[in-house]
Amino acid sequence: MILPIVAYGDPVLRKKCMEIPKGYPKLEELLEGMWETMYNAKGVGLAAPQVGVPLRLFLVDTTPFADDEELSADEKNQLDGFKKVFINATIEEEGGEEWTFNEGCLSIPDVREDVKRKDTVTISYVDENFKTHKETFDGLIARVVQHEYDHIEGILFTDKLSPLKKRMLKGRLNNISKGKIHVDYRMRFPNMKKGR
């Protein structure tokens, strides 16, 4: 089932999310809905708060990045078919060089900005079967993981921009929260005026 994606300005996007207990009811259903929603919106990652659920859960599928002509064969292979569910994740360490990449977010449509992040991330989490993992990722995979992890901490990529950039985006962000934007996927806007 395709779920509406929560737009910028909704308080759920600012919540530090709760851990998911083993045996959480309808988790499989939620995951199914999130995968469907992400693919429908042509995303490479989606976090539970983006569908209005304040849980420590996000999913990632970096396959679309594998088509990028500017990447090396190794990078393309790494990205192609990288598909994972992260539950109750904790970033253990971020390392390496900081690098800039143009990021966007399904909750903030039509806004893309250059964001600096560390090159490597070590993260511990459980998968959809509650099996424990601790893994280190680098490059674009690390970036997607860091971006989605921020969502379960109540952080958006726009928080990482300079004060000047934030001021310049203020009007566009307000319009998004009011639903004054065209998107080709289902969204829920927090400040949309109800019809009379």
Side-chain angles (χ1 to χ4, degrees):
M1 190 172 107
I2 293 171
L3 308 163
I5 291 174
V6 172
Y8 180 90
D10 192 302
V12 74
L13 295 174
R14 293 301 184 185
K15 284 195 167 117
K16 198 171 154 80
C17 296
M18 296 173 302
E19 292 228 335
I20 301 177
K22 200 172 177 173
Y24 183 80
K26 297 191 175 167
L27 179 61
E28 208 171 298
E29 216 172 284
L30 175 62
L31 286 170
E32 217 169 281
M34 283 177 67
W35 283 120
E36 214 176 313
T37 302
M38 183 184 88
Y39 291 131
N40 177 64
K42 297 176 178 56
V44 292
L46 186 68
Q50 290 182 276
V51 292
V53 182
L55 293 174
R56 295 187 76 79
L57 160 65
F58 62 89
L59 16 122
V60 168
D61 184 349
T62 60
T63 305
F65 283 141
D67 295 334
D68 190 332
E69 292 307 312
E70 291 176 22
L71 297 175
S72 70
D74 274 0
E75 287 172 309
K76 287 181 180 187
N77 286 340
Q78 194 184 11
L79 294 162
D80 194 20
F82 180 86
K83 181 178 170 176
K84 278 188 190 299
V85 171
F86 294 83
I87 296 174
N88 300 339
T90 305
I91 286 185
E92 305 287 345
E93 194 183 340
E94 290 174 313
E97 294 293 309
E98 261 196 356
W99 63 294
T100 303
F101 186 80
N102 196 257
E103 290 189 23
C105 178
L106 296 175
S107 292
I108 313 175
D110 287 351
V111 173
R112 297 197 65 87
E113 291 293 336
D114 287 346
V115 177
K116 281 185 173 155
R117 293 189 190 271
K118 296 273 192 188
D119 179 56
T120 355
V121 63
T122 301
I123 190 165
S124 52
Y125 65 98
V126 297
D127 61 23
E128 58 273 40
N129 303 310
F130 279 80
K131 188 170 180 291
T132 306
H133 301 267
K134 183 176 176 179
E135 293 178 284
T136 300
F137 303 113
D138 60 9
L140 270 175
I141 290 175
R143 176 166 296 267
V144 175
V145 166
Q146 286 164 312
H147 177 110
E148 297 308 327
Y149 181 84
D150 279 352
H151 274 300
I152 64 172
E153 291 290 321
I155 298 165
L156 298 170
F157 83 93
T158 48
D159 299 343
K160 298 187 177 295
L161 304 175
S162 71
L164 174 65
K165 264 278 191 283
K166 284 182 194 166
R167 278 200 303 277
M168 288 166 67
L169 284 173
K170 197 172 180 192
R172 286 171 70 192
L173 294 174
N174 283 339
N175 281 342
I176 290 169
S177 73
K178 290 174 187 162
K180 293 182 181 174
I181 188 164
H182 173 74
V183 271
D184 51 9
Y185 50 86
R186 280 181 72 196
M187 285 198 85
R188 192 177 87 206
F189 302 99
N191 301 325
M192 197 171 188
K193 295 273 182 276
K194 302 280 181 265
R196 292 176 208 276

